[in-house]
Amino acid sequence: MAKFDLIAFDLDGTVFPEPSAKSIRPRVVAALQAAHDAGVITAVASGRTVGMLGPTLTGAPWVDWLITVNGACVSPAHGGDAVSERMMPREQVRAVVSCIRSVAPGAGDNGWSLFAPGHACFDRGLNERFRERLPEGPERESFSFVESVLAEGGKVEEIDGIDTILGELTADIYKIGCMLDTVELFDATCRELTASAHTGGLELASVGPTELEITKAGVNKGSALGILCRHLGIDEHRAVAFGDSGNDATFADSACTFVAMGNATPEIKAVADDICPSVKQDGVAVWLEDHLGLV
């Protein structure tokens, strides 16, 4: 049990096995609970805001810390102030939106999401695209947190468009998301955002073929894990992190052991230190049982 001092885990496609899942499978819960009882610190590492996690997670006694909105916020799970909040000014977000529209003029009010303190916003077009999507079969195991939240009927703020909410907000912004119409537009948008001198430094995460998540430069799950480890006085080498998609890739930049799920994308598997079974095979539990001697 002494090999690791901290376990960080993504949710959707990592411990949530399907988009409509509202709870973690029993074997995975048992493994995380056993690790916690043995003194290992546990941390959710999600693209969701704290308010989108739900009481199953925020009320779980075996969850100690919350790394949320792709690392933009790091906070204790059971009360207390955030130890890190890294946000984008609204004017920077406006510049990002303008840049995306210069590449994809169709990205007007169809496909945006925005996350700020007290706000989890999805435009009506994005909601409709996900809610009308037909199931893709039982073999499908990876999906974005946006798809998951909408599928499970989570309470979100439906907005008429990104410009409306930007005009109303007074706070800075954790993260924005945009779904493009094609892979070609997605790739062109990423190139333009990276090259633009007007958007400021950005962190881009691909969570699907055409779904983009954007935070401030350097704001990602891997750097947030480092912030948490330093706050707790833990050597990053003694942390392990589990994930399956693009916004988990930066765990590979950390000194932690990064374990990709068996259902992870090929790009994530290529940068991981190890690969465990898929989410539907309780991969996180299998790996922890084997490496922490939980059985």
Side-chain angles (χ1 to χ4, degrees):
M1 180 62 71
K3 185 179 291 187
F4 297 102
D5 295 325
L6 188 150
I7 299 167
F9 56 95
D10 173 54
L11 297 179
D12 305 293
T14 298
V15 296
F16 287 169
E18 57 189 31
S20 59
K22 295 183 180 181
S23 61
I24 300 174
R25 289 160 66 101
R27 184 178 178 184
V28 178
V29 170
L32 291 168
Q33 177 76 68
H36 179 270
D37 291 347
V40 181
I41 293 168
T42 63
V44 169
S46 175
R48 301 176 182 223
T49 62
V50 172
M52 297 164 69
L53 296 178
T56 299
L57 280 169
T58 56
W62 47 267
V63 176
D64 298 304
W65 286 87
L66 307 174
I67 295 171
T68 49
V69 276
N70 284 12
C73 184
V74 180
S75 58
H78 304 293
D81 295 333
V83 300
S84 174
E85 286 189 290
R86 299 177 289 171
M87 294 185 277
M88 293 185 287
R90 282 167 293 154
E91 288 311 307
Q92 182 181 16
V93 175
R94 291 183 190 277
V96 169
V97 171
S98 177
C99 183
I100 292 174
R101 285 175 172 161
S102 72
V103 180
D109 295 320
N110 184 11
W112 296 98
S113 57
L114 179 147
F115 308 92
H119 295 275
C121 306
F122 300 83
D123 71 42
R124 298 182 192 281
L126 183 62
N127 291 0
E128 291 170 2
R129 288 168 78 167
F130 275 120
R131 287 169 179 159
E132 292 174 357
R133 179 177 290 180
L134 296 174
E136 297 182 33
E139 74 285 349
R140 182 167 171 262
E141 297 176 302
S142 287
F143 41 89
S144 73
F145 86 95
V146 171
E147 181 177 359
S148 181
V149 169
L150 294 178
E152 71 188 28
K155 291 183 179 180
V156 297
E157 190 174 342
E158 191 171 77
I159 57 175
D160 292 325
I162 191 74
D163 299 307
T164 301
I165 190 64
L166 284 175
E168 295 173 352
L169 282 177
T170 58
D172 289 339
I173 293 150
Y174 289 129
K175 178 179 71 167
I176 64 168
C178 185
M179 178 171 284
L180 286 304
D181 289 331
T182 66
V183 172
E184 290 74 20
L185 274 177
F186 177 91
D187 292 341
T189 297
C190 290
R191 288 194 297 270
E192 185 62 25
L193 286 171
T194 301
S196 175
H198 303 292
T199 56
L202 300 173
E203 184 84 22
L204 308 181
S206 167
V207 291
T210 63
E211 193 176 347
L212 179 65
E213 295 181 352
I214 305 166
T215 51
K216 189 176 181 178
V219 175
N220 54 59
K221 292 185 182 183
S223 64
L225 180 63
I227 289 171
L228 179 57
C229 285
R230 289 191 293 275
H231 175 75
L232 297 174
I234 291 174
D235 185 338
E236 279 188 62
H237 290 93
R238 294 183 61 82
V240 58
F242 296 87
D244 73 305
S245 67
N247 63 4
D248 302 311
T250 54
F251 282 135
D253 299 326
S254 164
C256 77
T257 296
F258 175 37
V259 182
M261 304 303 295
N263 50 283
T265 62
E267 294 79 10
I268 297 303
K269 290 180 178 178
V271 299
D273 299 300
D274 201 359
I275 301 172
C276 68
S278 76
V279 61
K280 291 186 177 178
Q281 295 173 310
D282 296 333
V284 170
V286 172
W287 197 94
L288 291 176
E289 289 165 359
D290 183 35
H291 288 79
L292 298 185
L294 299 179
V295 178

